Amino acid sequence: MADVHCRLDGRDEVSRLLDGVAEEAGAVVLAGDLTDTGRPAEMEILLSVIAEIPLPFVAVLGNHDHETDHHDRLMEMMEDAGVTVLDASVHEIEDVGFVGTKGFCGGFEERIVQPFGEDALKQFIQTGIDEAIRLERAAAKLDGCRAIVGVLHYAPVRDTLAGEPPELYPLLGTSRLANALDRRGVRVIVHGHAHHGALAGTTPHGTPVHNVSRFVRERAGEKPYLVLEV
């Protein structure tokens, strides 16, 4: 699930979103925007709910978690609470590997934005390139796993953005992320961020991609979380 957007008054809402997950899953993956404005007090509320669920948690941060520049503190809080935070890093649960990072912008396929022109644009696009490089290097550490799950916040494909304004696509993700994971044989990819997007798509190599934003899922009449078997 993605886009929890936990607020200071949001404990009941977070409990609702995760209701039943302990009976259906063996682990929980949170694909970013865990807090609404990136404040430690919001993270405390989220972690108080997580503490009641007897499952391993794996997460990446989202853009909202960076809003007030406390992202390092949020990561420390999560790790102290037993949540594994992926920041171009990996984690294994039994024989399933998880690789993830927040991701970034940049556009898709033939419309991908190139680092050319003004320095400001070059720096912006280079951020997305660097995220993809770090992601691929991390995934290489999981070659021995039975299956690898890619965890992102920003979208790696255009398919799962359907429903968002096309003008926003370059700001919602980049296919550089999909390319990096395709080269490492990832079994499935999950992401959030696109609240008005579509549920599913595929990478150029045919890897399934799921937009697990709870807003998208509930709008489609689904549970706020997706249960995947890998």
Side-chain angles (χ1 to χ4, degrees):
M1 182 173 69
D3 302 314
V4 177
H5 288 277
C6 183
R7 301 178 179 179
L8 295 179
D9 61 353
R11 194 180 196 284
D12 289 346
E13 175 70 351
V14 176
S15 295
R16 179 189 73 81
L17 294 173
L18 291 171
D19 183 42
V21 72
E23 289 74 44
E24 294 193 71
V28 179
V29 175
L30 298 177
D33 279 1
L34 314 176
T35 62
D36 197 46
T37 59
R39 289 183 285 174
E42 294 171 338
M43 181 58 71
E44 287 179 2
I45 301 298
L46 175 62
L47 292 175
S48 72
V49 177
I50 287 176
E52 299 175 352
I53 301 174
L55 294 174
F57 276 74
V58 178
V60 297
L61 296 186
N63 56 304
H64 277 247
D65 302 314
H66 282 253
E67 168 61 21
T68 50
D69 207 25
H70 293 298
H71 48 279
D72 288 339
R73 176 59 183 145
L74 299 185
M75 293 174 67
E76 290 176 1
M77 293 172 67
M78 295 170 73
E79 293 285 356
D80 288 345
V83 177
T84 299
V85 184
L86 301 177
D87 182 19
S89 55
V90 300
H91 182 63
E92 295 182 39
I93 299 177
E94 297 180 1
D95 56 354
V96 176
F98 297 84
V99 59
T101 193
K102 174 176 60 65
F104 199 60
C105 317
F108 300 90
E109 300 164 15
E110 72 278 3
R111 294 183 176 87
I112 200 164
V113 183
Q114 299 298 328
F116 181 88
E118 300 93 332
D119 284 345
L121 180 59
K122 290 176 181 176
Q123 292 169 11
F124 179 78
I125 297 303
Q126 190 62 48
T127 300
I129 293 173
D130 291 344
E131 280 283 86
I133 291 171
R134 294 171 66 231
L135 182 67
E136 184 171 359
R137 287 176 176 169
K141 301 174 183 177
L142 294 172
D143 284 346
C145 291
R146 176 179 60 82
I148 303 174
V149 178
V151 185
L152 304 166
H153 183 61
Y154 283 81
V157 295
R158 188 163 44 194
D159 295 354
T160 51
L161 301 183
E164 295 280 0
E167 296 84 356
L168 291 181
Y169 281 19
L171 300 177
L172 294 175
T174 175
S175 56
R176 291 185 174 98
L177 298 166
N179 296 339
L181 294 176
D182 269 344
R183 284 191 288 267
R184 292 299 174 183
V186 170
R187 177 77 60 85
V188 63
I189 304 170
V190 297
H191 75 88
H193 194 44
H195 294 192
H196 301 283
L199 287 172
T202 58
T203 70
H205 286 194
T207 304
V209 178
H210 297 277
N211 180 352
V212 294
S213 172
R214 54 108 162 189
F215 299 108
V216 173
R217 291 192 53 75
E218 292 194 299
R219 189 179 303 112
E222 304 287 347
K223 291 182 179 180
Y225 56 83
L226 170 68
V227 179
L228 284 173
E229 294 186 14
V230 295

